[in-house]
């Protein structure tokens, strides 16, 4: 017989933290789309205790602060993000990424908190959090911590939260009014994880790049960002040679691996090519936005 | 329920609602009192001698009822063409994933935990992982005792070869001299996983008489019965094999899955045992399509007339033969394509390697041959600056032509199929427009590609028993397993049409070796054709017994009655003077003659090839291979020049089905096959690293889903009634899968001017070709 799994259903963040702190090896259960699939692989992948976050209403909403910051509760599903009106311009990349995670059934269950805590480098949210300069809000026995995304993803499937901590929200700072953003995901087949993905946030003035943030998914143990690549683009008109140079710098920073989705070589070939496409789409968006 | 009795009418599958609502019971849904659950321990070594087992910890685990290894089972080998397999490895393991031991326990979790506790000591042997390695002079030998294995055909083989064969017609060596142009290339196809929705499963039970009954997910209850009987050293009469609903097979369930293991465990414990594989286990343990490397060369006159074609094929058979010889022989048989090729020679070889066994898969051998053949026809067209359809039409088989060695081809409608896809796809205008269109702003280009399709249907033998019940309805038993392709509905429709009954007056007996007569299996696109033959016989038999009763009741002579719709026999031309089937059948049941039973038996057989015309060396007999089926497919693809990704955006698939029994079901087969063909063309591939399968899950192994399928699939049904068939039907199960890969390759070349000769046509392969091509 399978070992029974203890099951907790706290109603508040505080209760959840208390359970995590007191029950050894207890594990949060969010949408279950990663965790339960893993548990089905066998007893080895079954935590002794699950703390379901389903009933904690505090974790469920998307709100906008007066300064424009968008706060997304950890238990907000991919589907809800994909349909939210609060992600436009510089944050459109968030909505776009959520809309291309897996298939509808998984988007209806899976959550942003679960996705980033799993920290799969092939997932869609991690690069987006980096490109949008988001912050992860965490609660533990000693209180609340705010962790910049760049410090949250520390290694392959590893984050900087402690076992007794809980991600409660992700905050996306407001982007400049003229910013546009794009998520470009390349997959072998629909619904697959990315072979390579590019998250881009860009401000243009008269066709020149004012500021840009680029993060790559599936190109290393954590999302890849290269300040030098961004600097190479700033104050240029994003000509082919600018983009090629930036792509080359990103390739140097990337460390993709051979896997079923493509060889490392192919992923390196894709990086500058997808970057070009992403920038082109961002430029088109900027034009369309101005016309509107 | 539908009252349709017309042949050709569209009607929903009989079981559609049961399946859609979850009421249909599959093998995994079955439960029996005190039933145990089985688990299988898979080999972790690709090639090794088994030194010893230690099962003590597994046996000691609470809840475990039986632990069996190769040491506990009869040393009896089974196999379709070469008896080289045992249900659990004996003495040696030959691939990672091979069943080594089995456990029965009170639940699946316990069985799995116990299997993990079994210690197997292996002495590793060098492995051979590709046909090239297998052919090396000093290669490790996968089956040392091959020579002693029983075989059911004239097998030529040496070293690691499972079968070596040749087809020769005319004088190819001389013919090259007359060719103005020659095209030559090497075409490679990959291991494709069958990806049926239902992983293999079996439940076995034994009764007090020592009889074994097995319910399982299978394409043939009779093959299953035979294999269990052979492996367990039992007479057929001691083995009963039944199939509940089956969730797909595609060739992967023609030969045994876990039935023998379940039967061994049931015999050992005296209790019912259920074995259901997980997806990962199924992918590692079962089967794939044969990878093939085909070297092909074609010579033609400047006007496009093909004169000569030669080729050689090397195929990877994996660790056990299964139907590898047949798969390779099919490649040789079909490499000529549906064309007049006066001179040809094809050599083939299929080899053992230390990997998952390869086996029949929808379009067995033919899909590989057609990729090479139809890619090369386009290359020839290019070289001659001819339109690909024009070139094909110049060479297609004509009425009265024959296949190799004077094999009759029935209605030679390949030309008609090509014309239909040409007109329906608006080929000429569309191709010209696409060629001239600029690359889209986002870097995408479209192209149009075509492929001819030829296959056979029928094969081996089948039988049917139709019983007229006392109320005038009928029960038909055929032994055919409906694996999801819809044969039950087709059987009911043909039987209803023959007796002019409503379809819901026909009851179909679930395939069961005790209750239904012999049918060799649901494969080779054979069921509708073969069942039609025996249904016609059996219903004629019914009618001939029915009419005397009707004549007696109507007080007229037997010559003066006829069938009229609705289960009635009437006086010819006077349909209000009738008696019902019920009237006649009740008379038969209770007054005169006894219950009415009709029977039909049929074996497909044509002449062996004429050896004056064609020499087949080392081949199985092709006299039972069936009648020919023609088709043509066109696809429009979009190639992303930035990433190399190819998408099929629209498809046309025309098939001469003889006569559609159920139009909607035919269209379903065409659409489903076509999408499976897209998977083969673009994304599906089992990948091994040193004998270890690297992608045994649907997370890593991708099959096309609805979003990857083109929105517009034009299923074009052509009906030239098959002269050898009472209802005029031909099989359509496999043809739709076959031409897609070459059509896609041809469309890619049309779009972006690169030729990919290796499947799948992944974005990486295309991008590399694009970069080599330059811009
Ligand atoms: C078939 C399939 C395809 C997929 N494709 C994609 C894809 O294309 N792109 C993509 O990005 N993802 C994909 N996913 C993953 C999917 O997005 C998951 O929803 C997500 O990774 C996990 O979210 P969840 O809410 O289901 O988390 P769960 O599975 O419940 O949890 C995941 C992990 O996070 C921990 N956790 C969850 N919430 C918290 C919290 N608030 N604080 C601390 N720890 C927490 C859990 O303990 C667990 O370890 C796919 C999944 C499947 C099954």
């Amino acid at each position: 017989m399978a070992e029974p799994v203890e099951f907790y259903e706290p109603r508040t963040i505080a209760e959840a933290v208390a359970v995590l702190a007191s029950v050894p090896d207890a594990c949060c259960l969010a949408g279950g789309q990663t965790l339960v699939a893993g548990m089905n692989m066998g007893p080895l992948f079954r935590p002794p205790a699950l703390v379901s976050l389903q009933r904690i209403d505090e974790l469920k909403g998307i709100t906008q602060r007066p300064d424009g910051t968008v706060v997304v509760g950890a238990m907000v599903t991919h589907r809800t993000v994909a349909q939210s009106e609060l992600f436009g311009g510089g944050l459109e990349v968030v909505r776009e990424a959520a809309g291309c995670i897996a298939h509808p059934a998984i988007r209806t269950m899976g959550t942003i908190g679960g996705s980033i805590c799993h920290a799969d480098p092939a997932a869609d949210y991690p690069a987006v959090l980096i490109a949008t300069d988001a912050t992860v809000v965490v609660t533990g026995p000693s209180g609340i911590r705010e962790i910049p995304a760049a410090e949250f993803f520390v290694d392959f499937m590893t984050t900087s939260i402690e076992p007794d901590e809980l991600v409660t929200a992700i905050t996306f700072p407001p982007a400049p009014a003229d910013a546009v953003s794009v998520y470009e995901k390349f997959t072998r087949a629909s619904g697959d994880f990315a072979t390579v993905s590019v998250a881009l946030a860009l401000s243009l003035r008269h066709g020149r790049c004012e500021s840009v943030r680029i993060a790559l998914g599936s190109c290393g143990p954590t999302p890849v960002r290269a300040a030098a690549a961004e600097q190479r683009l700033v104050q240029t008109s994003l000509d082919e040679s600018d983009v090629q140079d930036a792509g080359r710098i990103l390739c140097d920073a990337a460390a993709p691996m051979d896997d079923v989705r493509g060889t490392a070589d192919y992923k390196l070939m894709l990086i500058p090519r997808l970057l070009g496409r992403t920038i082109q789409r961002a430029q088109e968006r900027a034009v369309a936005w101005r016309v509107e | 329920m539908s009252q349709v009795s017309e042949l050709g009418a569209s009607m929903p599958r009989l079981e559609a609602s049961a399946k859609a609502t979850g009421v249909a019971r599959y093998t995994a849904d079955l439960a029996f009192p005190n039933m145990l659950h089985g688990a299988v321990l898979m080999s972790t070594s690709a090639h090794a001698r088994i030194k010893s087992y230690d099962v003590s910890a597994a046996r000691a685990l609470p809840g475990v009822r039986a632990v069996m290894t190769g040491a506990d089972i009869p040393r009896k080998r089974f196999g379709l063409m070469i008896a080289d397999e045992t249900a659990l490895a004996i003495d040696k393991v030959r691939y990672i994933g091979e069943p080594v031991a089995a456990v029965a326990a009170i639940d699946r979790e316990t069985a799995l935990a116990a299997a993990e506790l079994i210690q197997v000591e292996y002495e590793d042997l060098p492995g051979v992982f590709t046909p090239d390695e297998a052919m090396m002079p000093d290669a490790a030998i996968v089956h040392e005792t091959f020579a002693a294995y029983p075989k059911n055909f004239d097998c030529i083989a040496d070293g690691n070869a499972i079968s070596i064969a040749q087809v020769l017609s005319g004088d190819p060596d001389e013919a090259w001299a007359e060719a103005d142009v020659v095209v030559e290339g090497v075409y490679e196809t990959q291991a494709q996983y069958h990806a049926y929705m239902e992983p293999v499963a079996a439940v076995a039970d034994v009764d007090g008489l020592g009889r074994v009954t097995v319910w399982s997910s299978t394409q043939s209850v009779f093959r299953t019965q035979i294999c269990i009987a052979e492996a367990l050293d039992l007479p057929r009469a001691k083995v009963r094999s039944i199939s509940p609903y089956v969730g797909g097979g595609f060739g992967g369930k023609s030969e045994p899955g876990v039935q023998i293991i379940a039967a061994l465990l049931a015999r050992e414990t005296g209790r019912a045992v259920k074995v259901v594989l997980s997806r990962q286990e199924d992918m590692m343990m079962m089967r794939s399509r044969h990878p093939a490397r085909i070297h092909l060369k074609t010579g033609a006159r400047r006007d496009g007339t093909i004169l000569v074609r030669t080729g050689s094929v090397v195929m990877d058979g994996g660790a056990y033969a299964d139907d590898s010889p047949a798969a390779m022989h099919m490649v040789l048989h079909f490499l000529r394509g549906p064309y007049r090729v006066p001179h040809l020679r094809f050599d083939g070889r299929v080899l053992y390697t230390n990997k998952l066994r390869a086996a029949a898969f929808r379009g067995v051998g033919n899909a590989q041959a057609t990729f090479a053949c139809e890619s090369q026809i386009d290359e020839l067209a290019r070289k001659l600056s001819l339109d690909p359809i024009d070139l094909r039409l110049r060479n297609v088989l004509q009425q009265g032509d024959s296949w190799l060695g004077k094999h009759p081809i029935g209605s030679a409608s390949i030309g008609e199929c090509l014309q239909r896809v040409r007109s329906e796809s608006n080929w000429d205008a569309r191709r010209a427009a696409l060629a001239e269109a600029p690359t889209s702003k986002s870097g995408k280009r479209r192209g149009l590609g075509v492929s001819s399709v030829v296959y056979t249907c029928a094969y081996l033998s089948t039988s049917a028993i139709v019983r007229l019940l006392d109320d005038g309805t009928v029960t038909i038993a055929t032994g055919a397993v409906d694996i999801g392709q819809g044969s039950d509905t087709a059987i009911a429709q043909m039987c209803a049409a023959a007796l002019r009954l409503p379809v819901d007056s026909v009851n179909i007996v679930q395939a069961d070796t005790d209750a239904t007569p012999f049918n060799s299996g649901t494969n080779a696109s054979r069921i509708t054709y073969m069942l039609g033959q025996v249904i016609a016989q059996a219903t004629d038999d019914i009618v001939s017994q029915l009419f005397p009763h009707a004549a007696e009741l109507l007080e007229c002579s037997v010559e003066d009655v006829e069938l009229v719709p609705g289960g009635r026999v009437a006086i010819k031309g006077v349909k209000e003077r009738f008696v019902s089937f019920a009237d006649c059948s009740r008379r038969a049941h209770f007054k005169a003659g006894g219950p009415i039973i009709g029977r039909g038996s049929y074996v497909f057989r044509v002449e062996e090839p004429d050896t004056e015309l064609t020499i087949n060396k080392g081949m199985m007999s092709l006299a039972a291979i069936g009648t020919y089926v023609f088709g043509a497919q066109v696809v429009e693809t979009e190639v992303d020049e930035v990433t190399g990704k190819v998408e099929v955006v629209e498809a046309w698939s025309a098939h001469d089905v003889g006569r559609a029994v159920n139009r909607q079901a035919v269209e379903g087969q065409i659409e489903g096959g076509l999408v499976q063909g897209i998977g083969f063309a673009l994304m599906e591939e089992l990948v091994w690293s040193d004998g270890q399968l690297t992608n045994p899950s649907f997370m890593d192994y991708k099959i096309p889903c609805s979003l990857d399928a083109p929105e517009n699939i034009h299923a074009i049904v052509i009906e030239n009634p098959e002269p050898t068939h009472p209802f005029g039907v031909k099989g359509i199960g496999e043809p739709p899968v076959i031409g897609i890969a070459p059509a896609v390759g041809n469309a890619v070349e049309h779009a972006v001017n690169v030729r990919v000769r290796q499947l799948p046509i992944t974005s990486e392969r295309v991008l590399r070709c694009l970069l080599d091509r330059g811009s």
Side-chain angles (χ1 to χ4, degrees):
Chain A
M1 271 302 195
E3 291 294 317
V5 177
E6 278 184 63
F7 194 71
Y8 297 89
E9 279 190 310
R11 302 281 170 149
T12 64
I13 293 172
E15 271 176 52
V17 170
V19 179
L20 286 173
S22 60
V23 180
D25 298 322
C27 184
C28 289
L29 174 65
Q33 296 305 293
T34 298
L35 185 54
V36 176
M39 288 170 67
N40 282 336
M41 284 168 62
L44 266 178
F45 303 93
R46 258 166 237 170
L50 289 177
V51 185
S52 168
L53 308 181
Q54 258 337 319
R55 289 175 190 268
I56 307 179
D57 291 338
E58 298 164 78
L59 299 178
K60 286 195 174 164
I62 307 182
T63 53
Q64 189 164 29
R65 293 190 190 137
D67 71 348
T69 301
V70 179
V71 183
V72 183
M75 286 299 286
V76 172
T77 63
H78 308 329
R79 178 167 183 270
T80 304
V81 173
Q83 292 176 346
S84 169
E85 309 251 295
L86 293 177
F87 300 102
L91 294 183
E92 191 169 347
V93 61
V94 182
R95 184 174 68 204
E96 204 172 3
C100 63
I101 295 173
H103 293 287
I106 290 156
R107 291 201 288 274
T108 305
M109 294 296 289
T111 67
I112 189 167
S115 176
I116 66 168
C117 290
H118 187 53
D120 182 342
D124 296 297
Y125 273 131
V128 169
L129 264 61
I130 299 289
T132 52
D133 200 14
T135 300
V136 182
V137 185
V138 170
T139 304
S142 46
I144 295 174
R145 291 202 288 151
E146 299 215 338
I147 310 172
E151 289 162 31
F152 182 81
F153 301 106
V154 295
D155 204 344
F156 179 77
M157 293 194 181
T158 313
T159 68
S160 55
I161 66 169
E162 300 297 326
D164 55 2
E165 284 181 319
L166 180 72
V167 169
T168 55
I170 294 90
T171 60
F172 295 94
D178 59 353
V180 287
S181 62
V182 169
Y183 189 66
E184 179 70 34
K185 177 176 182 177
F186 180 77
T187 59
R188 296 174 298 168
S190 67
D192 195 13
F193 280 92
T195 305
V196 169
S197 67
V198 184
L200 173 97
L202 178 69
S203 281
L204 290 171
R205 191 156 305 155
H206 309 303
R208 286 180 81 77
C209 172
E210 283 291 303
S211 69
V212 62
R213 284 176 75 97
I214 307 165
L216 306 176
S218 293
C219 287
T222 58
V224 173
R225 189 179 166 217
E230 294 167 7
Q231 272 151 26
R232 176 65 187 78
L233 295 174
V234 171
Q235 294 308 329
T236 71
S237 47
L238 303 172
D239 292 337
E240 207 180 309
S241 66
D242 305 323
V243 175
Q244 270 184 6
D245 286 351
R248 222 168 285 132
I249 300 168
L250 278 166
C251 282
D252 288 341
M257 296 207 311
D258 291 341
D259 63 24
V260 290
R261 294 184 198 97
T263 62
D265 239 22
Y266 177 57
K267 294 176 192 175
L268 290 172
M269 284 154 72
L270 282 179
I271 290 169
R273 302 173 78 86
L274 288 178
L275 177 66
R277 172 166 288 172
T278 315
I279 288 176
Q280 189 191 339
R281 284 181 55 208
Q283 288 168 321
E284 284 164 11
R285 247 174 220 183
V287 171
W289 186 75
R290 231 175 289 123
V291 171
E292 279 167 29
Chain B
M1 194 49 232
S2 153
Q3 292 297 302
V4 175
S5 64
E6 288 308 305
L7 213 59
S10 286
M11 62 171 275
R13 299 275 190 80
L14 299 174
E15 74 288 1
S17 142
K19 282 182 175 172
T21 55
V23 176
R25 295 170 90 202
Y26 294 82
T27 301
D29 298 321
L30 303 180
F32 295 89
N34 288 323
M35 185 173 78
L36 299 172
H37 298 259
V40 181
L41 177 70
M42 299 191 284
S43 168
T44 51
S45 180
H47 196 194
R49 236 169 265 297
I50 298 171
K51 305 290 285 182
S52 66
Y53 305 97
D54 180 352
V55 297
S56 50
R59 285 219 169 101
L61 193 71
V64 171
R65 295 290 177 268
V67 180
M68 300 183 81
T69 69
D72 308 312
I73 68 171
R75 295 181 74 91
K76 286 272 298 176
R77 293 186 185 273
F78 59 90
L80 182 65
M81 305 184 72
I82 296 168
D84 63 355
E85 282 203 56
T86 52
L88 298 172
I90 292 180
D91 301 335
K92 256 177 84 164
V93 288
R94 297 182 173 86
Y95 69 97
I96 294 173
E98 179 168 1
V100 174
V103 177
I106 52 166
D107 58 28
R108 165 104 172 138
E109 296 273 339
T110 307
L112 282 169
E116 293 276 300
L117 293 174
I118 298 170
Q119 304 284 328
V120 184
E121 193 192 338
Y122 294 114
E123 178 192 311
D124 277 321
L125 300 167
V128 288
F129 300 118
T130 63
D132 287 335
E133 285 173 32
M135 286 188 289
M136 301 279 271
D138 57 347
I141 296 296
V142 181
H143 287 266
E144 294 89 342
T145 51
F146 182 81
Y149 295 156
K151 304 172 186 74
N152 75 352
F153 70 107
D154 227 349
C155 179
I156 302 175
D158 62 34
N160 279 316
I162 302 170
S163 166
I164 300 170
Q166 186 185 63
V167 172
L168 171 67
S169 225
D171 191 345
D173 294 332
E174 288 288 306
W176 292 112
E178 283 181 52
D180 299 318
V181 285
V182 173
V183 283
E184 190 170 2
V186 176
Y187 306 86
E188 289 175 82
T189 65
Q190 77 281 29
Q192 182 185 19
Y193 171 58
H194 294 80
Y196 28 64
M197 280 216 265
E198 179 201 22
V200 303
V203 179
D205 201 3
V206 286
D207 65 15
L209 306 171
R211 266 176 59 99
V212 179
T213 301
V214 176
W215 294 259
S216 70
S217 181
T218 178
Q219 294 181 223
S220 169
V221 289
F222 291 94
R223 264 311 287 169
T224 300
Q225 179 193 39
I226 290 166
C227 291
I228 295 170
E230 286 181 357
L232 269 52
D233 213 1
L234 291 172
R236 306 280 197 270
K238 289 275 185 202
V239 179
R240 178 178 181 192
S241 159
I242 303 172
S243 95
Y245 281 114
V246 176
F250 307 114
K253 293 174 183 167
S254 294
E255 293 297 297
V258 288
Q259 294 96 337
I260 301 170
I261 291 173
L264 285 164
L265 291 170
R267 293 229 298 175
E268 184 76 6
T269 58
R271 286 165 66 168
V273 179
K274 181 195 283 190
V275 185
V276 179
L277 294 190
S278 69
R279 180 62 63 183
Q280 180 177 350
E281 289 171 330
D282 191 289
M283 294 182 83
M284 294 179 68
M285 221 184 276
M286 287 299 139
R287 305 178 163 86
S288 78
R289 192 191 284 285
H290 286 84
R293 188 177 65 220
I294 300 174
H295 184 158
L296 196 64
K297 189 174 165 190
T298 305
R301 288 217 181 87
R302 193 157 293 109
D303 68 0
T305 308
I306 295 173
L307 296 172
V308 50
R309 173 173 269 189
T310 58
S312 63
V313 53
V314 174
M315 288 167 91
D316 189 341
Y320 292 96
D322 204 288
D323 56 9
S324 280
M328 189 267 283
H329 303 163
M330 292 298 260
V331 176
L332 303 190
H333 191 69
F334 284 109
L335 256 183
R336 59 172 287 181
Y339 308 113
R340 291 176 161 172
V341 184
H343 305 282
L344 58 81
R345 183 180 54 237
F346 303 127
D347 289 282
R349 182 179 285 264
V350 57
L351 294 123
Y352 282 124
T353 59
N354 292 113
K355 292 193 312 217
L356 190 66
R357 72 177 81 55
F361 191 144
R362 203 173 190 177
V364 53
N366 190 318
Q368 294 92 324
T370 300
F371 178 63
C373 170
E374 291 296 308
S375 297
Q376 187 153 84
I377 292 286
D378 257 49
E379 291 179 65
L380 180 62
R382 222 166 212 266
K383 203 155 183 174
L384 291 166
S385 301
L386 289 173
D387 174 84
I389 293 185
D390 286 341
L391 174 63
R392 284 173 172 82
L393 288 173
R394 175 176 291 276
N395 290 285
V396 287
L397 291 168
Q398 305 290 342
Q399 203 60 45
D401 285 351
S402 59
W403 204 262
L404 301 172
K406 276 262 175 287
H407 218 230
I409 56 168
S411 35
S413 49
I414 176 64
E416 184 182 351
C417 294
L418 284 163
Q419 300 282 18
R420 278 298 290 281
V421 287
R422 170 175 240 161
S423 60
E424 304 265 338
S425 69
N426 198 10
W427 169 269
D428 298 279
R430 191 184 284 258
R431 229 174 107 94
L434 290 176
E436 271 159 36
T439 304
S440 83
K441 231 173 100 210
S442 56
K444 292 173 182 171
R445 286 198 65 80
R446 289 188 173 195
L448 207 59
V450 66
S451 175
S452 298
V453 176
V454 54
Y455 204 47
T456 50
C457 68
Y459 202 49
L460 298 175
S461 74
T462 207
S463 45
I465 295 169
V466 179
R467 291 182 292 138
L468 188 62
L469 308 187
D470 68 303
D471 67 349
T473 61
V474 299
T475 288
I476 177 164
T478 70
V481 182
D482 188 334
I483 59 174
Q485 87 282 25
S487 57
D488 280 356
T489 311
I491 289 168
Q493 280 185 277
M494 290 190 290
C495 189
L499 293 172
R500 311 201 69 178
L501 282 171
V503 172
D504 61 358
S505 294
V506 180
N507 165 48
I508 295 178
V509 184
Q510 170 184 42
D512 174 343
T513 54
D514 271 13
T516 55
F518 183 78
N519 181 321
S520 62
T522 302
N523 32 47
S525 304
R526 63 187 288 281
I527 289 294
T528 308
Y529 180 96
M530 295 296 282
L531 266 297
Q533 295 280 8
V534 293
I535 287 168
Q537 288 178 17
T539 51
D540 281 352
D541 195 2
I542 294 273
V543 169
S544 69
Q545 296 171 57
L546 193 61
F547 278 10
H549 288 286
E552 287 284 331
L553 290 168
L554 291 165
E555 299 177 339
C556 64
S557 99
V558 173
E559 286 74 46
D560 290 338
V561 298
E562 65 179 358
L563 282 186
V564 291
R568 293 170 176 183
V569 184
I571 294 183
K572 273 184 190 160
V574 198
K575 62 174 184 299
E576 23 333 314
R577 295 272 326 272
F578 70 89
V579 287
S580 68
F581 281 19
D583 298 333
C584 301
S585 190
R586 263 197 300 274
R587 184 171 187 273
H589 272 78
F590 305 113
K591 277 206 191 132
I596 295 174
I597 299 174
R599 57 175 289 277
S601 277
Y602 183 77
V603 59
F604 191 96
R605 203 81 196 158
V606 294
E607 301 278 298
E608 289 289 351
D610 181 343
T611 47
E612 291 279 300
L613 297 163
T614 300
I615 297 169
N616 283 347
K617 245 193 287 183
M619 303 267 279
M620 64 175 183
S621 165
L622 294 169
I625 193 175
T627 189
Y628 288 74
V629 186
F630 296 97
Q633 299 181 299
V634 164
V635 297
E636 180 171 336
T637 60
E638 182 170 78
V639 184
D640 182 344
E641 290 195 309
V642 172
T643 61
K645 188 167 175 173
V646 177
E647 247 180 88
V648 177
V649 292
E650 196 162 351
W652 296 261
S653 202
H655 302 272
D656 180 358
V657 302
R659 185 162 175 204
V661 174
N662 179 343
R663 203 179 179 90
Q664 175 182 318
V666 170
E667 288 169 1
Q669 282 292 299
I670 293 175
E671 289 165 12
L674 199 148
V675 173
Q676 197 166 36
I678 291 175
F680 183 52
L682 295 180
M683 62 186 83
E684 296 186 41
E685 180 171 24
L686 291 169
V687 178
W688 285 268
S689 165
D690 288 338
Q692 180 78 50
L693 189 59
T694 61
N695 54 348
S697 78
F698 283 150
M699 201 72 144
D700 293 332
Y701 181 95
K702 283 294 160 191
I703 55 175
C705 74
S706 51
L707 294 174
D708 301 298
E711 236 168 82
N712 279 321
I713 297 176
H714 307 272
I716 302 159
V717 179
I718 295 173
E719 299 185 85
N720 292 309
E722 164 62 28
T724 62
H725 198 274
F727 300 108
V729 308
K730 294 195 202 188
I732 189 61
E734 292 159 286
V737 89
I738 289 170
I740 294 302
V744 167
N746 294 338
V748 167
E749 180 167 53
H750 182 233
V752 294
N753 210 9
V754 300
R755 167 61 55 184
V756 185
R757 296 191 184 83
Q758 188 179 8
L759 293 180
I761 303 175
T762 60
S763 46
E764 178 159 359
R765 283 185 183 134
V766 174
L767 185 59
R768 285 184 191 283
C769 290
L770 287 170
L771 294 176
D772 286 346
R773 174 203 73 180
S775 45

